[in-house]
Amino acid sequence: MKCKNCSRQVLINDYCKDCFIKYFEKEFRKGLGNLKGKSLCIAVSGGKDSLTTLYLTKKFYPENKILALLIDEGIHGYRHGTIKSLRKYAVEWGIPYKILKFKKPLDSMNPKRPCSVCGVLRRYYLNKHARVFNVLILGHNLDDEAQSTLMNVFMRYASRFNRMTVKQVTHELFVKRVKPMRYLSEREVMAYFLLKGFNTSMRECPYARSSFRDVVRKSLNDFEYKHSGTKLSIIKTYDSLGIINNPVNLGSCNACGEPSSNEVCKACMILKG
Amino acid sequence: MKVKTLNKEFELKFNGSVLALLGELGLNPVEFLVVVNNELVHELRVLNGDELVEVIPVVSGG
Ligand SMILES: [Zn+2]
Ligand SMILES: [Zn+2]
């Protein structure tokens, strides 16, 4: 089979290696939008998604002020390997980085639903520390986004819908978010990562398998296999709804002042409970 | 051929494409990439005898 762009041997997505890399970078660039002169905080875990995000953001905006921010959740035997990779690549690519730890390691909190607790706290710390930057860049891929959208439907979290989009939230303490890989599948990200010769710990979070997200991922991938394009359709449908929705005006948490749709934010409830 | 996944390695007698191998292992091709002798390969690539075949889950890492 031949590449749809040139006559070379096809490798992935009907593209040859070079054309795939070009396609991927073009999509990423489109997803970033115009960030000229903006200071950028990039949320990183040291996994393939965030390292790819870090590499390409720096590639397209080499002059911008950039910080890679890693939140160490305190999960035994998991984060260690990716922190090592972040350190290595940040130095190699000339990007400053900062590592913040959960005040109480996630393991020690012994939470019933570790992934949602972890998610709430990670978003809380990210937003808080990214505030001094113009934009917070997140490495979420198409799979992550399609899963989150479905999860919000399944759990009847209509209010979270608007907050997922990048443009819809207004609160002076809520940092503008950009997700350059929102339309790039996890498989494409991994292919790009491998083709660039990058390397990191591929270990999975020990909590991941027990999460609701994992159930959704599995079903969604089964669906995608039988009906190619499903994930993209979910996101596109969601996007077209977003346009007619009103922006969310978030209130502030009574305890800490951070943006919240409740009187006391989820992070405060977790940290006090 | 030698097949390597995230946490195990085993010998397998197999003839066919990457796609067929994933089917044989009961894996969804949406969730995996295959690297043969350290190079990413297309899913229609036919595998033969003496190769080192790495099956890489795309969800790995966070
Ligand atoms: Zn080509
Ligand atoms: Zn609070």
Side-chain angles (χ1 to χ4, degrees), chain A residues 1 10-12 45 47-48 78 186-187 190-191 194-195 201-203 209 217-218 221-222 224-225 231, chain B residues 6 19 22 26-35 39-44 56-62:
Chain A
M1 260 196 335
V10 72
L11 180 63
I12 182 163
S45 64
K48 65 164 194 318
Y78 170 56
E186 184 140 44
R187 194 165 184 275
M190 182 60 107
L194 293 174
L195 289 173
S201 162
M202 299 294 179
R203 198 176 272 199
R209 289 287 150 183
R217 169 189 314 173
K218 190 101 206 17
N221 283 338
D222 287 345
E224 180 75 33
Y225 179 54
K231 290 172 200 169
Chain B
L6 206 51
L19 214 51
L22 292 176
L27 303 174
N28 181 349
V30 173
E31 296 183 330
F32 294 88
L33 286 169
V34 171
V35 167
E39 235 175 88
L40 185 64
V41 296
H42 191 260
E43 53 191 19
L44 296 180
I56 299 177
V58 302
V59 294
S60 50

Side-chain angles (χ1 to χ4, degrees), chain A residues 3 5-8 15-16 19:
Chain A
C3 168
N5 219 16
C6 68
S7 55
R8 272 170 289 189
Y15 286 120
C16 68
C19 292

Side-chain angles (χ1 to χ4, degrees), chain A:
Chain A
M1 260 196 335
K2 299 249 184 272
C3 168
K4 67 178 174 189
N5 219 16
C6 68
S7 55
R8 272 170 289 189
Q9 182 75 21
V10 72
L11 180 63
I12 182 163
N13 281 10
D14 303 331
Y15 286 120
C16 68
K17 177 181 167 180
D18 290 351
C19 292
F20 172 75
I21 288 177
K22 256 187 231 154
Y23 146 82
F24 188 93
E25 294 188 352
K26 198 175 150 202
E27 286 298 308
F28 187 97
R29 177 78 186 74
K30 223 193 306 170
L32 270 183
N34 185 2
L35 299 175
K36 224 172 169 182
K38 299 255 195 283
S39 59
L40 312 172
C41 179
I42 305 180
V44 293
S45 64
K48 65 164 194 318
D49 298 294
S50 61
L51 286 178
T52 300
T53 304
L54 192 62
Y55 170 77
L56 284 176
T57 304
K58 177 75 179 176
K59 177 180 165 121
F60 292 123
Y61 286 100
E63 306 298 333
N64 289 44
K65 181 183 169 194
I66 295 180
L67 176 77
L69 179 60
L70 186 145
I71 311 276
D72 184 353
E73 309 91 341
I75 301 170
H76 184 74
Y78 170 56
R79 197 42 81 210
H80 177 76
T82 61
I83 288 180
K84 233 169 93 183
S85 307
L86 169 67
R87 287 208 163 101
K88 179 186 142 196
Y89 286 114
V91 170
E92 197 178 314
W93 301 334
I95 302 168
Y97 65 91
K98 191 157 122 186
I99 297 172
L100 293 171
K101 283 179 189 291
F102 272 16
K103 282 207 182 74
K104 255 169 135 187
L106 189 72
D107 283 343
S108 76
M109 295 166 65
N110 217 352
K112 255 199 214 110
R113 294 192 302 144
C115 297
S116 59
V117 168
C118 182
V120 166
L121 293 180
R122 225 168 342 110
R123 281 190 294 273
Y124 183 79
Y125 289 129
L126 274 178
N127 189 59
K128 219 168 154 167
H129 288 91
R131 190 166 297 150
V132 291
F133 292 82
N134 297 130
V135 177
L136 172 61
I137 298 182
L138 301 167
H140 295 168
N141 57 48
L142 174 65
D143 295 51
D144 299 326
E145 295 289 284
Q147 288 154 20
S148 298
T149 306
L150 278 191
M151 285 163 72
N152 287 340
V153 174
F154 290 161
M155 311 284 271
R156 274 210 252 166
Y157 287 146
S159 64
R160 278 196 205 165
F161 247 39
N162 284 359
R163 270 198 280 167
M164 259 184 61
T165 44
V166 204
K167 319 150 205 133
Q168 302 270 346
V169 180
T170 52
H171 188 288
E172 53 177 357
L173 297 181
F174 194 84
V175 187
K176 181 185 155 65
R177 284 144 167 75
V178 169
K179 296 174 181 173
M181 302 201 298
R182 193 168 141 80
Y183 300 106
L184 289 162
S185 74
E186 184 140 44
R187 194 165 184 275
E188 291 174 313
V189 178
M190 182 60 107
Y192 180 83
F193 192 78
L194 293 174
L195 289 173
K196 292 297 284 185
F198 299 152
N199 215 314
T200 188
S201 162
M202 299 294 179
R203 198 176 272 199
E204 216 180 340
C205 174
Y207 294 116
R209 289 287 150 183
S210 60
S211 69
F212 181 54
R213 180 176 290 276
D214 201 59
V215 178
V216 173
R217 169 189 314 173
K218 190 101 206 17
S219 318
L220 195 48
N221 283 338
D222 287 345
F223 221 90
E224 180 75 33
Y225 179 54
K226 287 173 197 142
H227 307 277
S228 168
T230 298
K231 290 172 200 169
L232 198 60
S233 295
I234 292 171
I235 293 298
K236 292 282 182 189
T237 303
Y238 168 79
D239 283 355
S240 56
L241 290 174
I243 297 163
I244 50 172
N245 278 344
N246 299 321
V248 184
N249 297 302
L250 284 181
S252 303
C253 167
N254 286 340
C256 71
E258 292 294 312
S260 170
S261 45
N262 305 316
E263 262 176 41
V264 176
C265 77
K266 288 223 178 75
C268 279
M269 300 223 282
I270 290 166
L271 293 171
K272 278 189 192 102

